[in-house]
């Protein structure tokens, strides 16, 4: 602990001279190369910090590459597990990307996910609808529940200008408590004392694809990713959303239907989060449990940010983050490292990439001062 | 620096000072000097480098080479703090006041004195006394955000005086004032100089140079074309030529106010009534001025000017017509359609076009490409539908139209894919005009132009004015809202004067600036 | 009934102080124009460090000191990102919360659920036996009184000192403050560090005073509630006291109502603080005065060389 603090303080002190000595200029335009370079640089530093943390937490350095890359991406079983984990992460990342497009901070992905999971579980547990339609109904219910859960913050933001950040977050906590209320009460599996619901019927579980635990949910998530890419990059609504996100005032003055577009994108974000909940209960857990969806909000935001809010890139980012989750699970079992390390690595990567952007957004100048530079006169003469 | 007195070095002297922003050289080996007790005019067009030079004097920007002396010794100024210490005070064009603080708190903040406790009373007293001495008074307990523009400017000057500044720099001090207010200010400036301080007056108004300053430095395209010449040695014509360059045409000179504004060109016989505003109320509250009981009629083929000092409800008027601000009372009709409940989109469909006062805040999106900005208002209409479906956007047509617009409006430095933010002010305004006026003749029924030439250079101004005239000649009506009295006089066929949210009078074309000023001040 | 009220009032500071300290820290940061969403992370750092250091050093006061430093250290990282490197303040805040959660989980793991002796409560004898308010006023730990004094001091300092004036100027209009010779970055960094320190103290209050144990996730959204409190308080530390009493009061009433054997669903009742937060935000917005109080340049990075 003390060691960590010292390292951080030293970093801060090292940066202090920058505050006073340098002058900054906003770059008019960063070339794509520079932007990519600072992005990758930030990413590399973030991953390095994550690796150092893991070693400090007791993982042998020699095993890092094996655990973080080989075991989660390069073996069939490991990759299968990564894909399973990536399924809800992809949906959460898409949810964040859609909301971010119109600058709506959805910090309540978890809440929408839990409400989606509850809705899907409700359809499954109470055998609503004919069996062949059970799964579509579950997914639909999950989407609607997620959209409903984000509707209140959306309404309050549009009508009263209340910040959606705290609202969505608070509603996450409420959703979690509602889920617990059900799991410790009416929906508890009567055959045990655990806070879990009874197992779903086969008609209410997503079919496996014959590769590890990978289930049809990944197909749903991939289709969602492709559809969202078309929506955000190729449609009228996407064009409008882009303008609104960059400058809502100008968008309104240009006659763009701002409110309708915002409502569409935000509800879609809620629905995607809800769908993630539905996919988890129907595809992975086959029941409602209280351990689903943890940290999904932050992971979703990190994925969307790393993907630059592009739906196709989100697929790649979701796989990468899923790899960290997968490795985190192993490390917890074999090295007794807290699974909090996953969030730590995510946080470090996000922070470093954010800082990295600075170098493409600004030019640092150490300007020559006239009082000390006499040679400029020769230049002038 | 031969103009400095023999016994003492000049108070301040710069030579060979340069500065670039992102590779564009905005200041090129500029020279400037200042003597005690003088009023020194710094003359030049927008973008000539005047503000940049003064920002270097005050330490806001770091220069790239050159020499900077104060009292004959290297200035050693590394930031605004050092400039304050050296006795340099600047009154910025955009006031540097914290709106929510009182006058006294603002003075205290600027005083930069050390010490734990904030004794606002004492600081205020010193400032008020300094103000009284030169004829500028203001209530120290007033909240700055609630003061008029002229009063705020007074606070700015008091701040500088309270600091005991030896050098007072005023950036376009009369730009925001009426003729009468400006007269009072110029008197106060003379008194300040008489106290033994040096005053720099940045301006582009020739009459202020001739009547109210001792020496003049003229800048053009980042260079000082003349440095510290006694004002008496130059005629108004000399000043104009030096400021604008030799190749200036009479029309451009007229635009800049160098030559008396030409009589407004009568474009077309006013046609049918286009916009009818009656007993309109909109906006207001929370420190901004709304529109109160405003009524007027605007006919096709007519430019109706709205003159007045900024912040008197012009913004609310423009926004209410455009549809960004709800109508609280009264009526707005365009070609017989009651606009009250119409969305911005429906108003645009009726032929309403807008050039707002701050193009990158409320019209263009800097991060989007030129093509996207041109398409911004039209994607909604399905104009760029793809062959695959009406909800998909086809980029090819967007690009083709952008190429045509760039050509037609001579938008320098633009390609369809380039981000709009990278365009210069004048070219960004051309981009906006290209979007708003493209279908002139048929589509445009009403153009609301709010300060359409603010911050533009002379050539861009001329272009904007020509574009407005052309649109009106094609049958559109134009509501020209501008703080620039000369612009209104040059373009409008009738002039309304707005003050405190109301229309306080109407003048015919050809009204003089002082007639307009008198109405603004309520002295008519 | 009287017993219930007395007990409720006596336990009130344990619930209200963490919220108050964190909210006042956030007010400092936001008054300097930095939108600081990291409170949840700083509080976790404070709570964990306070517990771990108290467990290893044996003295809760050392734990409190370490907690303050730990909160400030994480805030220092946030300050580097946002003030020095001008990162997006919302995203950097979220990353800070994640880092706080991650670091505390990893480092605090060996110390989970280990109880220790926290700060002693004062026992002034007869005074504390006053009806109803005796416990509230006199039977608290020293930190409660110190914390309240600190909040009042900051409230006064923000209003009446030059440092406070400059800090407020930076949050309102950094360009003006800069021209007036105020070092904008220094003030912002200082405010963020002070915010981290206060949030660290708030976290220490949770672990060392209120519960005498470190449990993962014990901050439980209080950092976010504090963020809402700032809006309710209209960026005024004195009003934050009122807000903290309302929220802390609701929080303190919950376990007591349950202990009374009230027939209410536990988990649904626990949603009250969150619903209350939403309600308060809505009421604040309906009051329509938020924009009057919010620092004008909150959340915007300031670059002197931006051309206007």
């Amino acid at each position: 602990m003390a060691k960590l603090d010292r390292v951080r303080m030293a970093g801060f002190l090292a940066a202090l001279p920058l505050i006073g000595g340098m002058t900054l200029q906003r770059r008019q335009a960063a070339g794509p190369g520079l932007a990519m370079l600072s992005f990758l640089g930030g990413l590399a530093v973030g991953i390095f910090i994550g690796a150092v943390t893991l070693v400090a937490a007791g993982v042998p350095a020699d095993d890092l590459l094996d655990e973080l890359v080989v075991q989660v991406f390069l073996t069939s079983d490991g990759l299968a597990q990564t894909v399973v984990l990536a399924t809800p992460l992809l949906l959460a990342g898409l949810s964040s990307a859609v909301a971010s497009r119109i600058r709506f901070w959805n910090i309540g992905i978890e809440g929408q996910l839990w409400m989606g999971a509850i809705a899907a579980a409700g359809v499954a547990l109470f055998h609503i609808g004919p069996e062949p339609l059970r799964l579509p109904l579950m997914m639909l219910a999950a989407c609607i529940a997620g959209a409903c859960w984000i509707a209140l913050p959306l309404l309050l933001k549009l009508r009263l200008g209340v910040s959606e950040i705290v609202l969505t977050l608070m509603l996450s906590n409420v959703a979690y408590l509602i889920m617990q209320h059900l799991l410790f009460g009416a929906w508890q599996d009567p055959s045990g004392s655990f806070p879990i619901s009874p197992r779903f019927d086969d008609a209410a579980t997503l079919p496996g694809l014959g590769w590890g635990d990978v289930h049809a949910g990944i197909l749903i998530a991939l289709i969602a990713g492709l559809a969202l890419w078309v929506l955000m990059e190729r449609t009228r609504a996407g064009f409008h959303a882009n303008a609104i996100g960059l400058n809502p005032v100008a968008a309104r003055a240009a006659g763009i239907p701002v409110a309708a577009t915002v409502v569409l994108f935000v509800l879609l974000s809620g629905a995607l989060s809800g769908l993630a909940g539905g996919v988890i209960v129907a595809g992975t857990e086959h029941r409602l449990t209280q351990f689903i969806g943890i940290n999904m909000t932050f992971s979703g935001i990190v994925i969307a940010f790393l993907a630059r809010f592009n739906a196709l890139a989100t697929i790649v980012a979701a796989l990468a983050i899923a790899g960290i989750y997968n490795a985190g699970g192993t490390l917890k079992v074999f090295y007794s490292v807290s699974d909090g390390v996953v969030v730590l690595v995510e946080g470090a990567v996000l922070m470093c990439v954010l800082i990295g952007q600075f170098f493409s957004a600004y030019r640092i100048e150490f300007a020559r001062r006239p009082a000390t530079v006499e040679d400029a006169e020769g230049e002038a003469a | 620096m031969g103009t400095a007195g023999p016994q003492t070095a000049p108070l301040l002297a710069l030579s060979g000072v340069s500065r670039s922003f992102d590779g564009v050289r905005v200041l090129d080996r500029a020279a400037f000097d200042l003597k005690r007790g003088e009023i020194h005019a710094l003359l030049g067009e927008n973008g000539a480098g005047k503000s940049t030079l003064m920002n270097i004097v005050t330490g806001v920007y770091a220069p790239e080479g050159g020499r900077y002396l104060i009292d004959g010794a290297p200035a050693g100024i590394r930031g605004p703090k050092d400039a304050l210490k050296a006795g340099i005070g600047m009154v910025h064009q955009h006031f540097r006041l914290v709106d929510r603080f009182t006058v006294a708190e603002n003075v205290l903040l600027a005083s930069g004195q050390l010490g734990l406790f904030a004794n606002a009373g004492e600081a205020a007293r010193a400032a008020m006394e300094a103000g009284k001495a030169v004829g500028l008074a203001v209530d120290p307990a007033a909240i700055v955000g609630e003061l008029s523009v002229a009063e705020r400017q007074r606070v700015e000057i008091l701040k500088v005086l309270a600091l005991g500044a030896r050098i007072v720099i005023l950036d376009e001090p009369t730009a925001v004032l009426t003729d009468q207010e400006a007269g009072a200010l110029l008197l106060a400036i003379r008194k300040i100089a008489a106290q033994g301080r040096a005053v720099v007056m940045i301006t582009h108004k020739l009459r202020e140079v001739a009547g109210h300053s001792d020496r003049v430095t003229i800048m053009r395209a980042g260079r000082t074309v003349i440095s510290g010449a006694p004002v008496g040695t130059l005629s108004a014509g000399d000043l104009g030529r030096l400021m604008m360059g030799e190749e200036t045409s009479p029309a451009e000179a007229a635009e800049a106010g160098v030559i008396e504004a030409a009589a407004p060109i009568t474009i077309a016989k006013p046609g049918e009534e286009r916009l009818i505003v009656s007993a309109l109320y909109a906006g207001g509250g929370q420190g901004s001025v709304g529109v109160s009981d405003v009524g007027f009629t605007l006919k096709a083929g007519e430019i109706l000017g709205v003159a007045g000092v900024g912040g008197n409800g012009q913004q609310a008027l423009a926004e209410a017509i455009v549809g960004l601000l709800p109508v609280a009372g009264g009526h707005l009709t365009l070609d017989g359609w009651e606009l009250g409940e119409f969305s911005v989109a429906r108003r645009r469909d009726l032929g309403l076009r807008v050039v707002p006062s701050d193009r990158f805040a409320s019209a263009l999106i800097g991060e989007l490409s030129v093509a996207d900005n041109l398409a911004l208002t039209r994607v909604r209409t399905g104009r760029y539908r793809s062959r695959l479906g009406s909800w998909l956007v086809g980029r090819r047509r967007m690009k083709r139209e952008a190429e045509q617009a760039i050509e037609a409006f001579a938008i320098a430095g633009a390609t369809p894919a380039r981000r709009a933010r990278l365009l210069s002010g004048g070219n960004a305004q051309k981009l906006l005009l290209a979007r708003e006026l493209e279908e002139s003749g048929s589509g445009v029924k009403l153009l609301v132009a709010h300060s359409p030439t603010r911050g533009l250079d002379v050539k861009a101004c001329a272009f904007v004015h020509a574009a407005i005239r052309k649109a009106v000649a094609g049958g559109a009506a134009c509501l020209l809202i501008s703080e620039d009295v000369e612009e209104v006089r040059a373009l409008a066929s009738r002039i309304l004067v707005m003050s405190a949210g109301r229309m306080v009078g109407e003048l015919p074309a050809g009204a003089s600036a002082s007639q307009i000023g008198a109405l603004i001040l309520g002295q008519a | 009934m009287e017993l219930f009220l007395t007990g409720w009032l006596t336990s009130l500071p344990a619930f209200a102080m963490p919220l108050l300290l964190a909210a006042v820290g956030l007010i400092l940061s936001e008054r300097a124009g930095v939108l600081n969403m990291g409170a949840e992370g700083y509080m976790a750092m404070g709570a964990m460090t306070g517990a771990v250091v108290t467990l290893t050093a044996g003295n809760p006061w050392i734990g409190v000191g370490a907690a303050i430093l730990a909160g400030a250290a994480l805030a220092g990282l946030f300050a580097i990102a946002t003030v020095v490197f001008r990162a997006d303040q919302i995203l950097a805040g979220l990353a800070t919360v994640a880092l706080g959660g991650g670091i505390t989980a990893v480092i605090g793991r060996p110390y989970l659920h280990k109880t220790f002796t926290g700060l002693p409560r004062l026992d002034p004898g007869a005074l504390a036996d006053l009806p109803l308010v005796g416990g509230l006023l006199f039977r608290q730990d020293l930190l409660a009184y110190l914390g309240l004094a600190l909040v009042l001091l900051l409230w006064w300092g923000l209003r009446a000192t030059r440092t406070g004036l400059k800090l407020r100027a930076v949050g309102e209009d950094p360009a003006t403050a800069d021209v007036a010779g105020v070092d904008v970055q220094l003030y912002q960094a200082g405010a963020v560090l002070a915010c981290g320190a206060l949030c660290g103290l708030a976290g220490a209050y949770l672990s060392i005073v209120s519960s005498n144990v470190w449990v993962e996730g014990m901050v439980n959204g209080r950092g976010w509630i504090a963020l809402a409190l700032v809006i309710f308080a209209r960026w005024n530390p004195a009003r934050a006291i009122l807000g903290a009493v309302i929220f802390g009061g609701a929080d303190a009433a919950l376990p007591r109502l349950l202990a009374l054997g009230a027939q209410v669903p536990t988990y649904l009742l626990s949603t009250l603080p969150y619903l209350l937060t939403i309600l308060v935000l809505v009421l604040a917005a309906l009051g329509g005065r938020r924009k009057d109080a919010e620092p004008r340049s909150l959340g915007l990075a300031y670059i002197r060389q931006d051309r206007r």
Side-chain angles (χ1 to χ4, degrees), chain A residues 85 88-89 92 107-115 117 172-173 175-177 179-180 183 273 276-277 280 285 289-301 303 321-322 325 332 338-344 346, chain C residues 98 101-102 105 216-217 220:
Chain A
L85 289 167
L89 282 170
I107 318 287
I109 293 175
E110 282 157 26
Q112 296 135 30
L113 184 148
W114 288 320
M115 294 315 279
S172 272
N173 290 337
Y176 188 69
L177 288 165
M179 190 169 75
Q180 290 216 310
L183 287 176
S273 294
I280 294 177
E285 301 290 327
T289 82
Q290 60 173 343
F291 298 112
I292 61 171
I294 306 290
N295 276 325
M296 211 50 108
T297 299
F298 186 64
S299 300
I301 292 169
I303 289 166
I321 295 293
Y325 266 86
K332 185 181 183 186
S338 163
D339 46 5
V341 81
V342 173
V343 203
L344 203 167
E346 283 181 314
Chain C
E216 236 173 82
N220 200 15

Side-chain angles (χ1 to χ4, degrees), chain C residues 251-284:
Chain C
D251 226 359
L254 280 181
R256 288 177 185 278
L257 283 174
L258 293 173
L260 280 179
Q263 280 304 308
V264 278
T266 318
Y267 294 105
L268 292 188
L269 197 63
S270 306
T271 60
L272 273 182
Y274 308 121
L275 295 177
L276 187 64
T277 307
I278 294 171
L279 185 70
V280 158
L281 285 176
V282 170
L283 290 178

Side-chain angles (χ1 to χ4, degrees), chain C residues 8 11-12 15 247-257:
Chain C
W8 176 62
S11 70
L12 183 66
F15 288 90
F247 277 92
D251 226 359
L254 280 181
R256 288 177 185 278
L257 283 174

Side-chain angles (χ1 to χ4, degrees), chain B residues 270-294:
Chain B
E272 76 273 27
E273 288 177 347
R274 187 130 274 169
L275 176 73
I276 302 169
V277 178
S278 61
L280 181 72
Y281 287 84
Q286 298 214 343
S288 73
V289 180
V291 173
S292 302
D293 193 21
V294 162

Side-chain angles (χ1 to χ4, degrees), chain B residues 81 96 100 108 115-118, chain C residues 160 162 172 179 181 292 294:
Chain B
K81 238 180 196 169
R96 297 295 168 76
R100 275 210 209 116
L108 182 67
L116 181 61
F117 302 112
Chain C
R162 274 179 205 273
E172 286 289 326
V179 172
D292 291 352
E294 187 176 67

Side-chain angles (χ1 to χ4, degrees), chain A residues 128-176:
Chain A
I128 296 168
E131 282 202 358
L133 284 178
R134 185 72 45 79
L135 274 171
L137 269 177
M138 282 169 72
M139 296 305 131
L140 185 68
C143 287
I144 291 172
C148 286
W149 208 239
I150 207 172
L152 179 70
L154 172 64
L155 185 76
L156 290 176
K157 173 164 177 143
L158 287 180
R159 278 295 150 98
L160 298 175
V162 184
S163 158
E164 72 278 19
I165 295 174
V166 180
L167 285 179
T168 48
L169 203 117
M170 290 293 130
L171 282 176
S172 272
N173 290 337
V174 173
Y176 188 69

Side-chain angles (χ1 to χ4, degrees), chain B residues 270-277 295-306 321 333-335 445-448 472 476-480 493-494 496:
Chain B
E272 76 273 27
E273 288 177 347
R274 187 130 274 169
L275 176 73
I276 302 169
V277 178
F296 58 82
T297 306
L298 178 52
K299 293 177 177 157
E302 182 185 41
I303 300 177
L304 177 59
V306 176
I321 296 172
T333 54
L334 176 57
D335 283 340
K445 299 284 187 217
L446 170 66
L447 172 69
V448 177
V472 174
C478 173
L479 183 69
L480 173 72
S493 38
R494 277 188 301 141
L496 288 169

Side-chain angles (χ1 to χ4, degrees), chain A residues 23 25-30 230 233-237 239-240 242-244 246-247 249-257 363 365 367-374 376-377 379-381, chain B residues 16 19-22 29 62-63 65-68 74 76-78 323-324 344-345 348 360-365 367-368 372 376-377 379-380 382 390-393 395 398 419 421-422:
Chain A
T23 57
Q25 256 195 64
R26 208 182 277 277
R27 283 182 205 275
Q28 289 293 301
V230 172
E233 312 298 333
R234 286 288 176 269
T235 68
R236 223 192 276 184
F239 182 89
H240 288 161
N242 207 16
I244 293 165
L246 292 169
N247 186 342
V249 179
R252 219 176 126 222
I256 287 173
R363 188 182 6 255
E365 287 193 347
R368 301 193 299 169
R369 296 283 159 175
T372 52
V373 182
E374 298 290 331
E377 272 187 317
E379 194 181 306
Chain B
R19 173 78 210 193
S20 303
F21 288 99
D22 215 64
R29 290 165 285 170
R67 190 200 266 266
Y68 181 179
I77 285 173
R78 292 174 170 277
L324 296 173
V344 177
R348 281 188 167 275
F360 276 112
S362 52
L364 296 175
I365 299 180
E367 300 303 316
L368 284 183
D372 281 1
L376 204 59
T377 57
V379 164
R380 175 179 57 82
S390 67
W391 44 279
L392 288 173
V393 173
R395 296 268 163 185
M398 236 185 243
R419 267 181 294 170
R421 187 163 60 90
L422 301 175

